Amino acid sequence: MINSSFRAIERLPLISYPLLNPKRLFVKLFRVSFQSSSDQRRFGGAQFVSMAQSTKQLQMGVGCKPGFILPSSDEHVLEAIDAIKAGNVIAVPTDTLYGFACDACSAEAVNRIYEIKGRKLTSPLAICVADVADIPRFAIADHLPIGLLDQLLPGPVTVILKRGSSSVLEKSLNPGLESIGVRVPDFDFIRSVARGSQSALALTSANLSGQPSSVSIRDFEELWPQCSLVYDGGTLPAGRAGSTVVDLVNPGLYKILRDGSAREETTAILQNFGLKEAM
């Protein structure tokens, strides 16, 4: 029985992923099985599907318990898209920090992010879109110099723009605010998820409100069970500064609201396009 279980693990598609190394996973599951009769098995704090579930279910992400960890690789984009379309919250790496993401057009999913973070409803969320060309669906950008957004994005920058009356964003997202922060991260996985969901993703840092931001999934381990899926992209190299936040609401002007990790580069681009710093 032990040998057959081990062979089943070896057939899983995640064997190249260090956290889910089949031998390490089997040893942990085997050891825990003598300590608890629970179907839920834990490996390094992560929740894994019971060995009684079929290999096919695990491969497809069907029946996975909340907090299930997958690598942020191309072969797992579809599971993330399905989770977003189902109104769930997932944890994903970006080009700056790990974040919680959900469908920005789902009021229920957006409220869930606030609950997970313990965040005040008056604190706004940014959105993430797949490409610069998607921004006009959600915010007004026609007052900006042609080519400016293409120079800033994709990258570690959040641009603040007016939502406009034609925005398809859920009205309950940042109620009372006429502006919205928009990101196009320089990270293929989250952009693929946004593209496949055919919506914008509400995006915020993966941590409890007021706590340090996360550059590794271990940094928010206690919140794994609150997410439908947790995607591991390793330790992110950008540090904890987050994205540079710049207000571009007013034509011809910019205002840096948060230095972030790319203030100098962002300021240089804005000035090259003739924008002046708002006083």
Side-chain angles (χ1 to χ4, degrees):
M1 179 177 178
I2 293 176
N3 288 338
S4 62
S5 298
F6 191 20
R7 285 195 295 271
I9 294 174
E10 286 185 315
R11 290 196 295 269
L12 296 180
L14 306 180
I15 58 175
S16 62
Y17 185 51
L19 182 60
L20 296 182
N21 179 282
K23 294 182 180 178
R24 291 170 59 193
L25 176 57
F26 176 75
V27 169
K28 183 66 175 180
L29 288 171
F30 181 74
R31 182 164 59 244
V32 172
S33 68
F34 286 95
Q35 298 172 356
S36 170
S37 60
S38 171
D39 285 338
Q40 185 181 75
R41 302 294 185 239
R42 290 184 174 271
F43 176 63
Q47 298 178 1
F48 288 90
V49 175
S50 165
M51 289 297 293
Q53 291 180 272
S54 70
T55 301
K56 183 176 181 181
Q57 281 183 310
L58 188 55
Q59 289 173 334
M60 299 302 295
V62 177
C64 295
K65 298 186 187 323
F68 191 78
I69 295 177
L70 294 171
S72 57
S73 54
D74 291 344
E75 57 265 34
H76 294 294
V77 168
L78 290 180
E79 291 104 327
I81 293 171
D82 288 343
I84 294 294
K85 288 185 175 181
N88 295 322
V89 174
I90 63 175
V92 290
T94 72
D95 55 350
T96 53
L97 305 166
Y98 276 85
F100 293 136
C102 72
D103 185 353
C105 295
S106 167
E108 183 177 353
V110 168
N111 287 334
R112 179 65 181 142
I113 279 188
Y114 279 100
E115 291 175 0
I116 293 172
K117 286 180 64 73
R119 186 184 178 107
K120 294 180 180 178
L121 294 175
T122 53
S123 299
L125 298 179
I127 63 170
C128 163
V129 296
D131 300 287
V132 170
D134 297 324
I135 293 178
R137 291 182 59 204
F138 307 99
I140 297 174
D142 55 9
H143 63 291
L144 298 175
I146 296 175
L148 173 61
L149 291 179
D150 292 296
Q151 288 295 309
L152 293 173
L153 305 168
V157 180
T158 300
V159 295
I160 308 296
L161 300 168
K162 284 185 178 179
R163 290 168 67 142
S165 58
S166 62
S167 175
V168 300
L169 288 173
E170 166 61 39
K171 300 300 182 183
S172 63
L173 179 68
N174 306 340
L177 292 180
E178 296 182 356
S179 59
I180 186 72
V182 183
R183 288 218 62 203
V184 184
D186 189 11
F187 202 94
D188 289 341
F189 183 81
I190 190 171
R191 292 178 66 194
S192 295
V193 174
R195 189 176 295 115
S197 70
Q198 300 179 330
S199 182
L201 305 179
L203 183 65
T204 185
S205 57
N207 59 302
L208 288 172
S209 186
Q211 297 299 310
S213 300
S214 300
V215 295
S216 161
I217 63 170
R218 298 295 178 189
D219 291 340
F220 60 99
E221 185 173 347
E222 72 279 8
L223 299 177
W224 291 354
Q226 306 300 318
C227 302
S228 172
L229 293 167
V230 176
Y231 285 91
D232 190 357
T235 299
L236 304 179
R240 301 181 192 273
S243 64
T244 297
V245 180
V246 56
D247 186 335
L248 295 178
V249 168
N250 297 310
L253 298 174
Y254 75 90
K255 185 174 183 179
I256 302 293
L257 302 182
R258 184 176 72 190
D259 286 350
S261 58
R263 178 183 178 118
E264 291 185 7
E265 300 92 329
T266 300
T267 300
I269 292 171
L270 295 169
Q271 293 178 351
N272 284 341
F273 276 84
L275 273 66
K276 305 296 183 182
E277 185 173 10
M279 304 304 293

